[in-house]
């Protein structure tokens, strides 16, 4: 028997995802046509012996989240529950707080997946490695170049046994080109070190506050409090993958993740990819079109395009490297490149909306990483263009490398600006 836990964070996280996270919780943002965490759930549901999937986070269980969970349970025929933290508890605190729910039924092991990663999720391969050599902690790792490795948790492994000898989260100097993917397989014994951290936090807090239980005792950081502390003690091992992987911290990285997932659909979900057909739009590369979208036959789409529910794409539209969300309208002869068009937004005739790609590829030394600032010397750095919810772009204007907050009706062109 197996379980899976998906760590979805909370509204205090995902600030780099704004203004898109104003309208929908970040884990439900559509990436390659489906909510971000649906990719995780699909992968978990395919593992033989999977009995339950738990989501842990600090979001309020609002209507969109509840509706998504109900639909996912029906689609995958698997119990999927949301466990809400009373306060943000870090990457490990929720696991310890809800330990009884995780261990109920006596699972052999449980997967832990961060919601903000894109991957082909080699969970069956991780399970095989765990069963071959059981240990409390198994981490999924991949490689990065020397420059980009500084943006991630770095793993020094024994190349023969794959034991993690040293772990440093976002080091200031080069440590290793093996990085942490944020996807784990834990045995039930993995919760004991989390208990030790909790008790130590409680003792430290009581030294400062003699009134009783310290509220911060439950906050546990897996990376710093557990992995760094236990590395080299025979408890943590790494399973390396050469499959697709990236983080999804910002809107720009969501567009990059969409490209990776659309490419993966060639193998996993070819039915989700649009095909060129007589009388239909011209398709170039991997494109997802929701069945309810209306796309003019003279439109040219792709590569890396995702068109959401109820979208209207007019005659002569050129759309490339973009995500168009529910209910948006692209009027005749618009050109949209490297952009996310928000829910219910309208782009007028002959308008051009364009951004600059900033793919967070861990093997590209020139990549603009999500940990970096949006600004330099008081100026907005070139990045993808984001149109928030219900933005109206008039005809024949240019919007370049800009972020437009929701409910704005523009009257002129803008370049490298945040439009409040």
């Amino acid at each position: 028997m197996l379980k899976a836990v998906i760590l979805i964070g909370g509204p205090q996280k995902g600030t780099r995802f704004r203004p898109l996270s104003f309208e929908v919780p970040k884990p439900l943002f559509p990436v390659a046509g489906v909510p971000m965490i649906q990719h995780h759930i699909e992968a978990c549901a395919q593992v033989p012996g999977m009995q339950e999937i738990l989501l842990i986070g600090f979001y309020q269980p609002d209507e969109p989240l509840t509706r998504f969970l109900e639909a996912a349970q029906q689609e995958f025929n698997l119990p999927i529950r949301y466990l809400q933290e009373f306060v943000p508890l870090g990457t490990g605190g929720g696991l310890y707080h809800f330990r009884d729910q995780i261990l109920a039924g006596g699972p052999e092991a449980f997967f832990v997946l961060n919601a903000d990663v894109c991957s082909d999720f080699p969970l069956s391969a991780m399970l095989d490695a765990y069963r071959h050599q059981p240990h409390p902690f198994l981490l999924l790792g991949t490689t990065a170049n020397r420059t980009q490795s500084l943006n991630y948790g770095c793993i020094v492994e024994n190349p023969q046994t794959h034991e993690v000898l040293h772990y440093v989260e976002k080091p200031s100097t080069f440590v290793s080109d093996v990085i942490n993917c944020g996807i784990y397989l834990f045995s039930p014994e993995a919760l004991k070190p989390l208990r030790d951290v909790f008790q130590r936090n409680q003792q430290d807090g009581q030294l400062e506050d003699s009134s009783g239980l310290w509220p911060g005792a439950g906050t546990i950081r897996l990376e710093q409090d557990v992995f760094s502390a236990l590395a080299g003690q025979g408890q943590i091992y790494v399973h390396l993958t050469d499959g697709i992987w990236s983080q999804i911290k910002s809107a720009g990285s969501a567009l990059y993740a969409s490209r990776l997932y659309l490419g993966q659909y060639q193998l996993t979900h070819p039915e989700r990819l649009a095909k060129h057909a007589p009388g239909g739009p011209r398709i170039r590369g991997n494109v997802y079109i929701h069945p309810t979208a209306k796309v003019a036959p003279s439109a040219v789409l792709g590569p890396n395009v995702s068109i959401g529910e109820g979208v209207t794409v007019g005659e002569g539209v050129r759309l490339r490297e973009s995500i168009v969300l529910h209910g948006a309208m692209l009027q005749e002869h618009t050109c949209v490149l490297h952009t996310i068009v928000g829910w219910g937004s309208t782009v007028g005739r002959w308008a051009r909306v364009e951004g600059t790609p900033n793919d967070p590829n861990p093997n590209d030394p020139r990549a603009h990483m999500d940990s970096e600032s949006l600004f330099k010397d008081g100026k907005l750095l070139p990045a993808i263009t984001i149109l928030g919810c219900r933005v109206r772009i008039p005809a024949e204007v240019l919007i370049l490398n800009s972020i437009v907050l929701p409910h704005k009706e523009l009257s002129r062109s803008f370049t490298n600006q945040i439009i409040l």
Side-chain angles (χ1 to χ4, degrees):
M1 173 190 172
L2 299 165
K3 291 191 179 186
V5 178
I6 303 174
L7 305 177
I8 67 171
Q12 84 286 354
K13 298 286 186 180
T15 54
R16 284 173 283 178
F17 217 72
R18 294 173 182 169
L20 301 172
S21 56
F22 288 153
E23 305 300 323
V24 67
K26 178 183 169 184
L28 299 184
F29 180 81
V31 178
V34 300
M36 188 186 300
I37 57 173
Q38 182 166 327
H39 298 284
H40 300 59
I41 292 173
E42 287 179 355
C44 293
Q46 292 173 7
V47 177
M50 184 63 64
Q51 293 296 312
E52 185 178 40
I53 299 174
L54 302 173
L55 276 59
I56 296 179
F58 189 54
Y59 287 100
Q60 293 295 322
D62 56 7
E63 182 183 351
L65 183 57
T66 301
R67 191 167 59 244
F68 169 77
L69 292 175
E70 291 173 352
Q73 286 192 93
Q74 289 186 351
E75 179 176 354
F76 300 104
N77 193 29
L78 200 63
I80 303 174
R81 292 192 292 141
Y82 175 53
L83 305 175
Q84 184 186 3
E85 298 171 339
F86 60 97
V87 294
L89 294 173
T91 51
L95 297 175
Y96 182 70
H97 182 74
F98 293 110
R99 60 195 179 278
D100 291 340
Q101 286 92 328
I102 295 172
L103 297 180
E108 168 193 359
F110 58 95
F111 290 96
V112 178
L113 302 88
N114 285 312
D116 58 356
V117 297
C118 158
S119 175
D120 54 4
F121 299 105
L123 304 185
S124 293
M126 293 180 69
L127 183 59
D128 290 343
Y130 169 80
R131 286 173 171 167
H132 177 70
Q133 196 177 27
H135 294 284
F137 300 90
L138 181 64
L139 283 54
L140 184 68
T142 190
T143 57
N145 64 54
R146 293 177 65 95
T147 302
Q148 298 298 1
S149 67
L150 306 182
N151 296 290
Y152 304 97
C154 292
I155 297 167
V156 178
E157 65 155 344
N158 181 319
Q160 280 75 45
T161 65
H162 303 294
E163 181 190 351
V164 175
L165 303 176
H166 189 49
Y167 184 93
V168 184
E169 185 68 19
K170 297 180 180 178
S172 56
T173 59
F174 177 74
V175 172
S176 170
D177 64 352
V178 178
I179 61 172
N180 178 9
C181 291
I183 300 168
Y184 316 117
L185 181 56
F186 292 171
S187 75
E189 288 72 29
L191 292 172
K192 293 179 181 177
L194 273 65
R195 178 198 60 196
D196 296 339
V197 174
F198 175 82
Q199 293 176 346
R200 186 166 61 249
N201 288 346
Q202 194 176 57
Q203 292 170 358
D204 292 345
Q206 286 175 344
L207 291 175
E208 301 175 10
D209 182 3
S210 59
S211 62
L213 185 65
W214 183 52
T219 302
I220 300 172
R221 305 166 300 172
L222 274 178
E223 301 81 5
Q224 294 93 334
D225 297 333
V226 179
F227 298 160
S228 293
L230 295 183
Q233 298 183 25
Q235 298 193 58
I236 308 177
Y237 285 72
V238 61
H239 176 78
L240 295 178
T241 179
D242 57 1
I244 65 169
W245 183 84
S246 73
Q247 288 184 325
I248 310 177
K249 298 291 188 183
S250 68
S253 56
L255 198 53
Y256 178 66
S258 183
R259 183 194 308 158
L260 296 180
Y261 277 135
L262 287 171
Q264 191 72 8
Y265 284 172
Q266 296 277 4
L267 299 174
T268 59
H269 291 286
E271 75 282 358
R272 290 181 182 172
L273 294 175
K275 305 291 191 298
H276 182 68
R282 185 181 302 174
I283 304 298
R284 295 180 175 176
N286 297 320
V287 173
Y288 169 85
I289 303 175
H290 192 277
T292 62
K294 297 179 181 178
V295 182
S298 59
V300 180
L301 312 178
N304 185 22
V305 166
S306 177
I307 296 177
E309 180 181 354
V311 168
T312 300
V313 179
E315 296 287 350
V317 167
R318 180 66 177 106
L319 187 59
R320 175 164 60 89
E321 296 283 343
S322 296
I323 296 173
V324 185
L325 297 171
H326 177 100
M329 176 181 290
L330 307 182
Q331 295 181 353
E332 294 82 359
H333 304 290
T334 60
C335 181
V336 179
L337 313 173
H338 303 288
T339 293
I340 296 179
V341 180
W343 298 267
S345 291
T346 300
V347 180
R349 298 169 61 248
W350 295 101
R352 184 181 183 96
V353 182
E354 184 174 356
T356 299
N358 53 347
D359 303 340
N361 183 347
N363 283 300
D364 182 356
R366 297 163 296 179
H368 178 79
M369 304 310 292
D370 288 331
S371 58
E372 298 176 25
S373 172
L374 290 172
F375 298 90
K376 185 176 182 180
D377 300 327
K379 297 180 180 179
L380 185 67
L381 291 169
I384 73 162
T385 288
I386 305 170
L387 306 183
C389 174
R390 296 181 181 86
V391 167
R392 295 185 65 85
I393 305 296
E396 302 179 11
V397 303
L398 170 66
I399 306 297
L400 179 64
N401 297 336
S402 296
I403 299 174
V404 185
L405 267 63
H407 308 286
K408 297 297 177 184
E409 185 165 352
L410 307 187
S411 58
R412 61 181 180 86
S413 298
F414 288 92
T415 301
N416 285 41
Q417 292 193 41
I418 295 181
I419 302 161
L420 304 175

